[in-house]
Each structure stands twice: as structure tokens, then as C-alpha cells.
Amino acid sequence: MKKWYALFFSCFLASNVLAQTTEVSVYVSTAQQTAVKGAKVSLNQVTVLTDATGTVVLKDIPLGNYVLTVQATGYADYEKRIQLTAANKHIHVKLKPEVTSLKTVVINSNAQNIKKSSEARSIEVVDQRFVQQHLGGSLMQTLDRLPGISNIGIGSGQSKPLIRGLGFNRVVVVDKGIKHEGQQWGADHGLEIDQFAAGEIEVIKGPSSFLYGADAIGGAINLKPINIPMGQGFGGSINLIGKSNNDHYGTSINLFGSNKKWFFDSRVTYQSYADYRVPTDTVYVYDFAVGLHKNRLRNTAGRETGLHFNTGYVGQHFKTSLHASNSYAKSGFFANAHGLEPRRVDQALHDRSNRDLLSPYQRVNHFKLISRTEISHLSSKTEVELGFQRNFRQEFNHYVNHGYMPPVYPIEMNIPQHLEREYDKFIYSGNLRHSFMLNQHQLQIGLNTDYQDNSINGWSFLIPGFQQFNTGLFVYDKYVLNHQLILHGALRYDYGHIQFERYDDWFTSEQKEGNTTTIERLTRAASFSRDFNSFVWSAGMNYNPGKLGFKVNIGKSFRMPIAKELAANGVNYHYFSYEKGNANLNAEVAYQADLGITYTEKKWGVSFSPFYNYFPNYIYLNPTPYHDYYYGAGNQVFEYTQSRVMRYGAELKLNYQWLPSFSTELLGEYLYSEQLSGDKKGFTLPFSPAPSALINLTWSPKLSDKLRNNYLSVDYRLTASQNNIVPPEKKTPGYQVVNVQMGTTLNLSKQVFELSVQAQNLLNAKYLNHTSFYRLIELPEASRNLILSIKMPFKIN
């Protein structure tokens, strides 16, 4: 091992000498050899516009494999994978006139396939066009259409991601290079992400701990910034959104500007929505019938705002940017299923207005500041990312006494009477990466670190305040043997420390020991700390001999227990349960194997991605036969424990081009999981998605010069019943849903309008989603929803 490290670092120190760079010239013309001025040429994360002669010169580009992209108004996008050598540094690109929108779609798809073919992991890549066409109530609901991706829905505007059935702190969301940190542990805690502010989105399915840190044991969602081409002057866009189901209206306004060296990008998003409708007038909350006024789920309205500003400098060897954002949301919880007994809810008060927000509700504010710097050396590249985040979350509800809590809230309390819980988290993050080439090796070493300080407040208790430190060091090697075969290898070491603060009740309780009764403030959480560390590794291969593509990836991943799993001791009003942590939990470890097989012909293609996971010590919340009477009013006690778990499944994608303007697609997914030890041996894991398939038909006609990029798309989703459950889950019957999307780009004089219309749940089907937050109370998914989105890009000369 010592010899290996010595060899690696000697190679690292010598990289500036051994690796080579070159100067690349790109000439862009039409098929008739006419130079194209102002074409956008992108190579190695550098974007430059061609001059009057149709030429750009890119200096100090390391030798290697790249994707060359050229875009120009009136011409079809050009995407090609090139191998840059000392002898191949003059490139001539001939653009073809843009004839149909179909060609653009095919080219974009090929660019995504190039990305997938060079990665050993299973990956999906989508852009803002995909978001526009499949716009959901949140980014995670929008991505739900991808195979292997689902979400835990929390009403119409909040959700959290599930990748192959794993979620919460097992999936990492990376926003502009920095890991997004909020209160991910709660099923009711959505992600504070503005889907209109994301550029390209990468969804990595399967363990990705070696690159994104310990929590990526189930996968990662990488949100990249919107690319601002240099030298464009001022421009922007205005998005208008309306939805029928919850009377939603919103807008997102973007303004950007750039010259040859500097750029800025800004965005303001506002959305407001009312209580959403479901296709039933009665739901049963733990056997109590709750009537719904005009099919609306009372108190599920909300408002969201997002402010974003990004600015930076792009030089020949130096790039830097600074991103600031603030996301705010105020949204209600279904009043009949949170904390209070369903029969004690003042339904008449709630039903007076569909847009008011009464208790219970939450307010969440997430501030983010990210600095990204890239320094290009003669033969290598160094990247530094620094981040600061503050996640401030408050939950408000009527005071409800349990156990020995006072029947009337004391007037001398300094905690507001309606403040049920408050979490205030400060996060400081840093990433350092250095990349270089050594012969055919593309090497990267990196360091990730973050520090979190989370304080609590409120009259209700679930987890104590804590401080947490994490750091990890990784080495990644991408060995390009030839244009057909790529090998991957990675090593990573992680260390984590978490320190909990002591918490005592603010009220007294009776304690009986034998014949002695004492009255005291009980300690709910003791002061203690835990340390965790682990080595993880990954190895993979890509083999692409022409039409056939083959990839395999194996590895080990690691996740340290979160605060809730170690130290929870309170009522979870969302599930009417009492949850207790386990301070003796070990770090969670997973071993995985992923396989990907693709075959592509001119008119059709198929992709098959099976996977297998084994957890020797999976952490889960286990229901016990006990009940709590001090704080939980007799609720069942759930305790965190560990067991061996096995998971396997697959995703399937099949597409066929019947006609130049007519295509079909089949997406399928299957997941099976089983606990191999512990109290729930033989049972599955909670929130396991049922097998499903989606059949799509898309018609993309060319209508006229004023109506371009036209499409009419129909999705027919079939979901099987989920009978493989773990108590207290319930079996979920299968269902079928039809969704329709249509859109066009309307050219009126000098103004362009991008129009899209969706009909979600077109046939108003009444069905249950097994991964829904409200599944336990038999609450069906939202009824028919019509969505209208208008995007108006503009340019200021």
C-alpha cells in the first residue's frame, strides 16, 4: 500500500510535466463553406462565440476525450465526441439548417447517451426542456417520470426523492457543487429547491459515496448551474404557471447578462396555491370518517418564493462565480391528520377559505451562499467550492398536552404557545478537487468537509440539538484504454463526529420506583458523542463496441447514523407514533453491483439496468409492542435498530421511431427488498415502490415556420399492487393513470413563446400511492390537474 501511495503522489507531482496541452482551433461553416459568425462553441467547460471568420481558438486544452458542442440560430445543434491529440487540433464543423424539431431531440438524446456511455454508474441526464414538459409541484415530482426514481409526496408542493426505494439521508442532492443540507430526516420535510433555477440535472442511481460523500449510499441528484454563454449582452425569460387542481399560479423571472469576461444571472420565483383536490369526499383517519368540503384537503395551501443571484468571471486560466439564493415556503399540513384528534378540528373554520393557512402549518427558509473557483494549470485543473447554508424550519400547531404536560399552557413560558417545533441549522461546507491526465489516465483527487450546528426550540421534543463534523478524502481514476473501453476505480476514506446536547423536559413528571414516587423534570436526551469512519471503494468498466454498450460497477458504500436515528425520543405527530433512537447504532454499510446493457439501432434502442445491494447492518424504525404514556398519549413506540437487508431490481427503457414524427417509449422498473435478520426478518423495507411501467406515444409534427418544436405526448402508467409490506404499512392496490403533455414554440415577429400544457391524471382516477406521506390514512392522490406553462425568452441588444 505504501508503495502504491508513493507511486501515485510522485505521478501527481510529475503531472505538470508529463501531461500535455494544445491549442485548438474550431472553424464553423455551412455546408456551402460560408462562415457562421456568433456560433456558440463549447469544449471542456469553456464556451466561446465564433468571430467574423467563423473561427474560435481555445488555448491550453489538455489532451483527451471531449464532447464538442456547437449551437447557432437557424442551424441544428452539433454534438460530437472527439479525441484531442497533438495531431488533431484543427476542427472543421459544418452546420446543417434546422429542418425539424425531431433532429434537435435526437441530437440532445445522443449527447446524453455519450455522457452515459463514459460513466460506469447508472445515470440519467435531463435539462430544462424536460422540466418544462413534465412540470410537477416540485422538482422531485417532476423527476418522478424517470425509471427508478420516485418521491415521497407531501401534498401538492412538497416532496423528497427516492432512488431505487432509498431516500431521506441515503440520497444526496448536490446544488452547484455543494451538498444541499436541510432537515432531510423527516418524511414531511421537502427539499428547498427551485426547479426553475436548475440547469442540467444528473440523477445517479445507486451508491455514489466515493464522490459525493457518505450519505450518497442510495444515489445522488446533481443540479448544475444554468450555462451563461459569454459575450451575449442582456437577456432573460419570463415563466408563467397555472394549475387547475389547487388554483395554483406563479411566475419565475430570469435576467442575465455577459460580456467577454464577466457574467451575471438572476431569478425571482413566486408561487401560490390553495388546498388541493382529491377524487373522494371522505377519508378515514384511523377509522374516523373525515368529510372533505368540495373534495379539498383542508389546510394544504401554501406560498413559495425563491431569490437567486449568480455572478462570475471567466478568464483563460481562471474562472470564479458566486451564487446566493434564498428559498422560503409556508405550507399547511392536512388539518385532520396532524397532532390533533380528527374530531377536534374546526372544519367550518378551515373550509371558509381554500387559500388560508391555519394551524398546523410550517415555515421553512433556506439561505445559501456558494463560491466556485476553477484554476487551469498547464496540464491540470484545480477546483475549489465553498458553501454556507442556513436552514430555519418552524412547525406551528395548537398546544396539545400529553402525559404530565400541563393542561393549560403556562403564561410564563418564553416559547410561543403555537410553536410546536423549531430547527435552526447552520452548515459550512468545502470541496477541493485536483484533476490531471497521466498518459491515458484521467485522475482526480478530492477533499470534502462540512460542519453543522443544529439548535432546537418549541414545546414539543423529537431530537436534541447537535453539532456534526464530516470529512472525506477520495482518489478517482478513469483509465481510457481506447475509444471502446474505459476502466474506473476509486478509493475514499470518511470520518464523522457528532455531539449531542442534553435536553430536559420543561415540565415535571411523576417517577415511581417501588413504593417511592418522585416529581422531576425528566431527561429526554443525554449529552453524548459518537465517532464513525470507514474506507469505501468502487470499480467499474464501460465497453462500447459500436451499437452495443456494456457497463458494470461494483463497490462498497458507507453512511453514518443521523441525529434522529441515534437520539430521537418523542412523538411524531405526522404518524401518531412515539420514536426512540438508539445511541449504539453502527455505521450503515452497503455492497452493490450495477449492470447496464444498451443496444442502439437507427430506429430503436433498448437499455436494461439490473442491480443488487446487500446491507449487513441496515438502519430502520422498528415497531414494538410497547406504548408510551409519559408523552405519547398511548401511542405505539417505534425504536431504531439494525438488520441485514438484501435488495435487487432493474430498470428497462425501450424506444422505437415508427415515423420521422412519431415515436414510442416503454419505461419499466422493479424493486424487491427483504430483511434477512431481526424482528422483521422476511419483511420488506418501508416506502418500497411497487413495480410499474410507463408507455409513451409522442407525435412531433412540423406545422409551420411560426410553430416549431411541436409535440403531443401521452403517458400511460401501470403500477402493480404492493403486497410486500412492513407493518404499520398497508397493502396498496394497483392502478393506471393517463397523463398528457403538449407544447409548441410560437414565433411572433421578434418574440418567441414556449407553450406547454399538461393534463395529469386525465381520467380522474382514484388511486393510492404506496410512497405517499399520507398513504397510512388511505388518502388518494390528487385528482385531475391541468397545467399551463408559458415561457417568454427575450434578448436586450
Side-chain angles (χ1 to χ4, degrees):
M1 180 65 71
K2 292 182 178 178
K3 292 183 179 180
W4 188 91
Y5 276 115
L7 175 61
F8 174 80
F9 282 106
S10 62
C11 294
F12 168 73
L13 294 174
S15 64
N16 288 335
V17 177
L18 296 177
Q20 300 181 19
T21 62
T22 187
E23 181 178 281
V24 183
S25 65
V26 181
Y27 172 61
V28 181
S29 74
T30 65
Q32 293 75 31
Q33 303 295 328
T34 302
V36 178
K37 177 184 176 182
K40 184 170 67 175
V41 179
S42 300
L43 181 70
N44 190 31
Q45 300 181 348
V46 177
T47 300
V48 185
L49 299 180
T50 57
D51 57 21
T53 66
T55 305
V56 298
V57 177
L58 308 173
K59 297 181 179 181
D60 298 324
I61 304 297
L63 302 182
N65 296 306
Y66 300 98
V67 175
L68 174 65
T69 303
V70 181
Q71 296 174 314
T73 303
Y75 297 92
D77 291 354
Y78 178 91
E79 303 268 4
K80 186 176 182 181
R81 187 175 181 179
I82 64 171
Q83 184 174 12
L84 194 59
T85 65
N88 179 27
K89 57 184 181 180
H90 301 290
I91 303 173
H92 184 188
V93 175
K94 294 182 180 180
L95 298 181
K96 298 179 180 180
E98 188 175 32
V99 178
T100 65
S101 61
L102 176 63
K103 293 185 177 180
T104 303
V105 173
V106 172
I107 291 173
N108 287 338
S109 176
N110 287 338
Q112 295 174 7
N113 289 336
I114 292 172
K115 174 71 175 178
K116 296 177 184 179
S117 66
S118 62
E119 288 284 345
R121 297 163 295 165
S122 180
I123 184 172
E124 298 281 350
V125 183
V126 298
D127 55 17
Q128 268 294 318
R129 179 174 295 181
F130 177 92
V131 174
Q132 184 83 0
Q133 292 182 5
H134 304 282
L135 193 65
S138 66
L139 177 61
M140 298 308 118
Q141 292 171 342
T142 300
L143 298 178
D144 187 73
R145 189 182 184 276
L146 300 174
I149 311 301
S150 52
N151 73 88
I152 300 176
I154 312 161
S156 58
Q158 300 288 325
S159 64
K160 59 192 327 99
L162 288 174
I163 298 181
R164 291 175 170 173
L166 297 179
F168 303 96
N169 280 68
R170 293 183 177 91
V171 171
V172 164
V173 176
V174 179
D175 185 17
K176 300 171 182 64
I178 293 293
K179 177 185 173 184
H180 180 84
E181 280 286 358
Q183 304 290 342
Q184 299 100 309
W185 49 268
D188 58 310
H189 301 172
L191 286 174
E192 304 83 3
I193 295 291
D194 184 353
Q195 60 183 322
F196 297 101
E200 187 178 76
I201 303 171
E202 292 181 354
V203 180
I204 299 97
K205 294 180 286 188
S208 306
S209 297
F210 77 90
L211 190 59
Y212 296 108
D215 285 353
I217 199 168
I221 299 175
N222 186 12
L223 309 176
K224 296 185 177 182
I226 296 176
N227 184 31
I228 304 298
M230 306 308 293
Q232 289 293 291
F234 293 97
S237 64
I238 300 174
N239 285 67
L240 301 175
I241 313 102
K243 303 177 184 179
S244 65
N245 179 279
N246 58 353
D247 304 328
H248 174 286
Y249 62 85
T251 183
S252 186
I253 302 173
N254 167 243
L255 178 65
F256 68 83
S258 66
N259 57 24
K260 293 183 178 180
K261 296 292 185 180
W262 294 90
F263 71 90
F264 80 90
D265 183 36
S266 60
R267 182 176 293 274
V268 177
T269 301
Y270 176 79
Q271 300 185 85
S272 175
Y273 47 90
D275 300 340
Y276 75 94
R277 298 180 179 90
V278 292
T280 184
D281 56 6
T282 305
V283 296
Y284 291 85
V285 181
Y286 299 97
D287 299 325
F288 177 76
V290 175
L292 301 181
H293 179 63
K294 296 183 179 180
N295 301 93
R296 289 186 183 266
L297 212 61
R298 58 182 57 88
N299 205 51
T300 55
R303 294 183 293 276
E304 299 177 16
T305 59
L307 303 174
H308 308 266
F309 184 77
N310 185 29
T311 186
Y313 171 85
V314 178
Q316 186 173 356
H317 303 288
F318 179 80
K319 302 178 185 177
T320 187
S321 64
L322 180 66
H323 172 82
S325 67
N326 192 81
S327 297
Y328 172 82
K330 181 180 180 181
S331 57
F333 295 114
F334 179 27
N336 296 100
H338 181 96
L340 293 174
E341 289 290 335
R343 59 181 62 88
R344 294 174 60 184
V345 174
D346 189 342
Q347 297 184 170
L349 176 63
H350 280 284
D351 295 339
R352 289 177 186 173
S353 171
N354 298 324
R355 305 196 81 90
D356 62 352
L357 274 171
L358 305 175
S359 293
Y361 69 94
Q362 62 179 341
R363 286 198 307 225
V364 184
N365 195 88
H366 194 99
F367 175 77
K368 189 177 299 182
L369 189 65
I370 300 173
S371 169
R372 307 178 71 239
T373 300
E374 178 183 316
I375 303 173
S376 299
H377 309 285
L378 291 176
S379 56
S380 56
K381 180 173 65 176
T382 302
E383 298 169 276
V384 180
E385 295 157 346
L386 301 174
F388 168 75
Q389 301 174 71
R390 184 191 181 189
N391 186 275
F392 185 60
R393 174 187 176 88
Q394 295 176 304
E395 296 182 12
F396 297 89
N397 199 3
H398 301 289
Y399 174 71
V400 179
N401 65 304
H402 292 307
Y404 292 96
M405 295 172 67
V408 178
Y409 194 74
I411 59 174
E412 65 271 14
M413 288 285 290
N414 57 6
I415 300 173
Q417 181 175 346
H418 294 289
L419 181 59
E420 180 181 355
R421 286 174 185 153
E422 177 180 290
Y423 304 101
D424 194 3
K425 179 188 281 191
F426 291 81
I427 309 101
Y428 307 86
S429 308
N431 301 324
L432 174 63
R433 293 185 298 274
H434 184 73
S435 307
F436 61 96
M437 294 186 64
L438 180 62
N439 297 327
Q440 294 170 284
H441 294 269
Q442 298 177 16
L443 294 163
Q444 184 180 100
I445 61 173
L447 173 70
N448 314 114
T449 186
D450 69 76
Y451 173 77
Q452 304 177 24
D453 187 355
N454 197 9
S455 60
I456 65 170
N457 199 2
W459 51 260
S460 175
F461 176 82
L462 183 57
I463 65 171
F466 65 90
Q467 295 79 43
Q468 182 173 329
F469 173 76
N470 301 293
T471 188
L473 176 67
F474 71 89
V475 179
Y476 173 56
D477 181 16
K478 186 175 182 179
Y479 182 31
V480 183
L481 286 171
N482 50 55
H483 70 280
Q484 293 183 343
L485 182 60
I486 303 174
L487 303 179
H488 305 259
L491 289 173
R492 182 183 177 98
Y493 173 77
D494 278 284
Y495 168 78
H497 172 82
I498 185 168
Q499 174 69 52
F500 291 99
E501 300 174 357
R502 174 171 171 163
Y503 180 88
D504 296 327
D505 281 335
W506 54 269
F507 56 91
T508 58
S509 299
E510 291 185 4
Q511 283 279 81
K512 292 184 178 181
E513 293 185 8
N515 296 325
T516 304
T517 300
T518 60
I519 298 177
E520 58 183 313
R521 293 173 60 191
L522 301 182
T523 298
R524 302 285 288 280
S527 174
F528 73 97
S529 64
R530 290 291 307 274
D531 294 274
F532 303 91
N533 67 88
S534 178
F535 270 105
V536 299
W537 55 271
S538 179
M541 177 189 71
N542 290 84
Y543 182 55
N544 301 293
K547 299 177 181 180
L548 177 67
F550 179 83
K551 65 169 64 176
V552 62
N553 186 61
I554 59 174
K556 173 189 175 184
S557 296
F558 152 87
R559 182 183 74 87
M560 63 181 285
I562 61 175
K564 184 183 180 186
E565 296 166 337
L566 292 168
N569 190 12
V571 182
N572 187 336
Y573 291 110
H574 305 292
Y575 284 103
F576 294 92
S577 63
Y578 191 93
E579 299 183 4
K580 296 189 68 174
N582 184 347
N584 298 315
L585 293 174
N586 295 318
E588 195 174 76
V589 174
Y591 298 91
Q592 91 281 357
D594 282 271
L595 182 66
I597 303 172
T598 61
Y599 188 83
T600 305
E601 285 285 356
K602 185 176 181 180
K603 287 190 174 183
W604 63 275
V606 62
S607 173
F608 181 60
S609 303
F611 63 90
Y612 177 86
N613 300 141
Y614 172 70
F615 292 80
N617 53 358
Y618 185 89
I619 301 173
Y620 70 101
L621 191 60
N622 181 44
T624 73
Y626 307 107
H627 293 78
D628 177 81
Y629 295 98
Y630 280 101
Y631 314 104
N635 286 314
Q636 186 178 9
V637 175
F638 289 69
E639 293 183 341
Y640 281 98
T641 187
Q642 294 183 284
S643 68
R644 293 186 293 114
V645 167
M646 174 267 297
R647 306 170 68 254
Y648 62 82
E651 293 97 38
L652 174 68
K653 181 183 291 187
L654 175 65
N655 59 78
Y656 190 85
Q657 195 74 41
W658 297 92
L659 298 170
S661 61
F662 184 69
S663 64
T664 186
E665 186 177 40
L666 170 65
L667 308 176
E669 59 185 20
Y670 173 79
L671 170 68
Y672 178 83
S673 58
E674 181 179 343
Q675 300 185 43
L676 305 178
S677 66
D679 294 341
K680 291 295 180 288
K681 181 178 179 180
F683 285 93
T684 185
L685 296 176
F687 292 111
S688 292
S692 69
L694 185 147
I695 302 173
N696 169 264
L697 297 174
T698 299
W699 180 45
S700 305
K702 181 183 178 183
L703 300 179
S704 68
D705 291 338
K706 291 187 176 183
L707 294 175
R708 300 165 55 193
N709 302 322
N710 311 294
Y711 65 91
L712 172 61
S713 180
V714 180
D715 288 344
Y716 176 49
R717 181 179 289 276
L718 302 92
T719 302
S721 59
Q722 181 56 287
N723 298 319
N724 189 20
I725 61 170
V726 55
E729 288 187 328
K730 301 178 181 180
K731 295 181 179 180
T732 303
Y735 59 89
Q736 299 85 42
V737 178
V738 176
N739 299 324
V740 177
Q741 307 89 29
M742 63 181 68
T744 186
T745 299
L746 176 62
N747 294 272
L748 294 179
S749 184
K750 296 182 179 181
Q751 182 59 56
V752 174
F753 297 88
E754 298 178 13
L755 309 176
S756 64
V757 179
Q758 291 185 71
Q760 297 176 343
N761 193 7
L762 178 66
L763 303 182
N764 206 33
K766 181 181 178 181
Y767 67 98
L768 299 171
N769 184 352
H770 190 72
T771 63
S772 171
F773 174 70
Y774 290 123
R775 169 63 188 94
L776 284 178
I777 60 172
E778 308 282 348
L779 184 67
E781 292 301 293
S783 53
R784 183 186 299 111
N785 188 21
L786 302 180
I787 302 175
L788 173 63
S789 175
I790 303 175
K791 183 177 181 180
M792 296 171 286
F794 59 85
K795 183 73 182 294
I796 304 174
N797 293 327

